[in-house]
């Protein structure tokens, strides 16, 4: 059995005029607003760490996006970039479509126990729930649920709990005093 030769288009990143880049018309991937905000924040904090993957249409002198539409969208909407990093793959349409889906699906999902461990570690390192929320693009209640999974007492050391139970007890005692 012979091994397939692997190519490295990532070694040929080039800056491309953003006006020459356009989306494809087949990508089923959609990004919800919170994730889009997180992508924007990620680019603000870390810069563009991944290039746009595109096919170069010589006839039209255009780069058709295979992967990275939302990074491209951020460049246009939030950063007003004139150029963006691109790597080119030379494939026919059906193979570009397959590449798009592979890129989307290969990203996988975040496993809850692993995310719980990360939240606990960031808490131990001094990040507040608010800081974790901003930096990881998570809702506060999601952070609390992940902390609960860990079962660690220190996970909640900085958490502000509701005083509703104390207020309820005070009201009951007050009501009982009035009846006496």
């Amino acid at each position: 059995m012979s091994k397939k030769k692997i190519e490295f288009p990532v070694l040929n990143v080039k800056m491309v005029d953003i006006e020459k880049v356009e989306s494809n018309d087949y990508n089923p991937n959609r990004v919800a607003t919170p994730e889009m905000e997180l992508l924007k924040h990620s680019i603000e904090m870390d810069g563009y760490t991944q290039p746009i993957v595109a096919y170069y249409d010589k006839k039209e002198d255009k780069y058709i996006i295979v992967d990275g539409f939302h990074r491209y969208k951020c460049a246009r909407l939030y950063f007003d970039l004139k150029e963006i990093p691109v790597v080119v793959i030379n494939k026919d349409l059906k193979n570009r479509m397959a590449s798009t889906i592979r890129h989307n699906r290969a990203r996988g999902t975040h496993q809850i126990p692993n995310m719980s461990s990360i939240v606990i570690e960031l808490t131990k390192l001094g990040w507040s729930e608010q800081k974790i929320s901003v930096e990881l693009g998570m809702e506060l209640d999601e952070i609390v649920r992940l902390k609960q999974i860990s079962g660690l007492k220190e996970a909640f050391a900085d958490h502000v709990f509701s005083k509703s139970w104390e207020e309820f007890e005070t009201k009951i005692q007050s009501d009982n005093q009035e009846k006496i």
Side-chain angles (χ1 to χ4, degrees):
M1 173 200 264
S2 66
K3 294 185 178 182
K4 181 173 175 20
K5 182 182 175 226
I6 301 297
E7 297 180 21
F8 294 92
V10 71
L11 296 176
N12 297 310
V13 177
K14 59 183 175 178
M15 296 302 288
V16 171
D17 181 338
I18 199 165
E19 298 304 322
K20 289 186 171 194
V21 178
E22 60 184 47
S23 64
N24 63 53
D25 58 1
Y26 57 81
N27 189 352
N29 190 20
R30 300 291 177 262
V31 173
T33 302
E35 284 75 18
M36 192 66 177
E37 288 295 320
L38 182 58
L39 177 59
K40 174 185 177 235
H41 181 67
S42 175
I43 293 168
E44 288 171 337
M45 299 305 291
D46 303 321
Y48 272 81
T49 59
Q50 297 179 23
I52 310 305
V53 179
Y55 165 77
Y56 180 64
D57 182 332
K58 291 177 188 160
K59 184 176 151 190
E60 299 292 326
D61 191 29
K62 291 283 186 182
Y63 293 83
I64 312 300
I65 296 172
V66 173
D67 181 65
F69 171 74
H70 295 98
R71 294 187 300 277
Y72 161 77
K73 189 174 177 181
C74 278
R76 281 201 171 279
L77 289 177
Y78 305 122
F79 305 120
D80 193 33
L81 298 179
K82 305 299 180 216
E83 293 182 319
I84 53 175
V86 172
V87 295
V88 174
I89 59 173
N90 189 19
K91 297 183 177 227
D92 62 16
L93 179 60
K94 66 181 178 297
N95 283 300
R96 292 195 310 268
M97 291 174 85
S99 291
T100 297
I101 301 307
R102 280 194 302 271
H103 278 86
N104 290 346
R105 296 196 63 189
R107 286 186 181 93
T109 59
H110 298 293
Q111 299 299 312
I112 290 173
N114 296 342
M115 287 302 296
S116 179
S117 296
I118 290 169
V119 166
I120 297 304
E121 189 61 27
L122 290 173
T123 300
K124 287 179 183 177
L125 292 171
W127 276 13
S128 68
E129 290 174 353
Q130 185 62 34
K131 177 78 171 172
I132 294 169
S133 173
V134 169
E135 295 301 327
L136 302 187
M138 300 167 72
E139 296 293 325
L140 289 173
D141 64 324
E142 183 181 7
I143 294 166
V144 170
R145 284 193 308 273
L146 288 170
K147 284 182 169 185
Q148 289 170 336
I149 290 168
S150 72
L152 296 175
K153 180 178 147 186
E154 64 267 15
F156 290 96
D158 70 338
H159 186 76
V160 178
F161 291 94
S162 166
K163 302 289 185 196
S164 60
W165 181 254
E166 292 171 11
E167 292 168 7
F168 176 74
E169 282 184 325
T170 302
K171 182 178 182 335
I172 295 295
Q173 288 173 355
S174 175
D175 289 349
N176 286 340
Q177 290 294 337
E178 289 176 10
K179 291 179 184 176
I180 296 179

